[in-house]
Amino acid sequence: MAHVEVFITHEPLDAHAVVDSVYDSKAGAVSSFIGTTRDTFHGKRVVELSYDAYEPMALQELRKVGEQCGARWPSVLRVAMHHRLGTVSVKEASVVIAVSSPHRADAIAACAFAIDELKARVPIWKREIYEDGSEWKQNAESCCSIPHPFAHANKPSS
């Protein structure tokens, strides 16, 4: 069974520390994913992102995703999934995932699975703040429609 570490914080993420946390003497491979704020989206200038979450459920779901990595790829040794909440400026990390295993194929596959599952089902919401306004975004990968409690604020009143 893989060792799983999950963490949610309002502080900047340290990608090197997350990667370091999955090193293991039995691991021949470490795969990582770092999601960062980009400066444009669909032609709009992004100023920053803001993340909100239902933290107890988000932590529970992050742990389940990590455990599923170990179940689907039994050679996976360690999984770390860290997500930042609050304001995340351009070029800063909002999520860091790292996975270790004896061989690269399982580490890479489990890491890709982890970010896809996080985006699909973990109750963390993203608000994109543009130069000309902002909007709450739902991940296109999301299978369960858990709207942000204030997402209706984006819709014009009729």
Side-chain angles (χ1 to χ4, degrees), residues 106-136:
D106 287 351
I108 292 168
C111 190
F113 172 83
I115 188 59
D116 290 346
E117 288 298 302
L118 182 155
K119 290 172 117 342
R121 66 183 220 225
V122 177
I124 297 175
W125 301 279
K126 175 173 69 173
R127 184 173 190 171
E128 292 192 353
I129 294 92
Y130 307 109
E131 285 180 331
D132 63 352
S134 67
E135 62 183 69
W136 288 103

Side-chain angles (χ1 to χ4, degrees), residues 56-77:
M57 187 179 192
L59 286 166
Q60 181 180 19
E61 287 301 308
L62 285 170
R63 180 161 300 285
K64 285 180 186 177
V65 170
E67 290 168 353
Q68 286 181 326
C69 288
R72 286 186 70 162
W73 294 275
S75 72
V76 165
L77 301 166

Side-chain angles (χ1 to χ4, degrees), residues 22-104:
V22 300
Y23 280 116
D24 188 288
S25 62
K26 295 176 182 71
V30 172
S31 181
S32 63
F33 172 82
I34 303 167
T36 60
T37 301
R38 62 181 173 260
D39 65 359
T40 55
F41 183 74
H42 291 301
K44 291 183 177 183
R45 175 65 104 187
V46 175
V47 176
E48 63 190 16
L49 300 179
S50 179
Y51 289 89
D52 197 5
Y54 176 50
E55 290 187 50
M57 187 179 192
L59 286 166
Q60 181 180 19
E61 287 301 308
L62 285 170
R63 180 161 300 285
K64 285 180 186 177
V65 170
E67 290 168 353
Q68 286 181 326
C69 288
R72 286 186 70 162
W73 294 275
S75 72
V76 165
L77 301 166
R78 296 178 163 281
V79 177
M81 301 175 71
H82 292 212
H83 206 295
R84 185 169 170 190
L85 300 180
T87 301
V88 182
S89 297
V90 171
K91 299 194 305 184
E92 292 183 348
S94 55
V95 60
V96 180
I97 297 172
V99 178
S100 64
S101 69
H103 304 285
R104 72 177 179 270

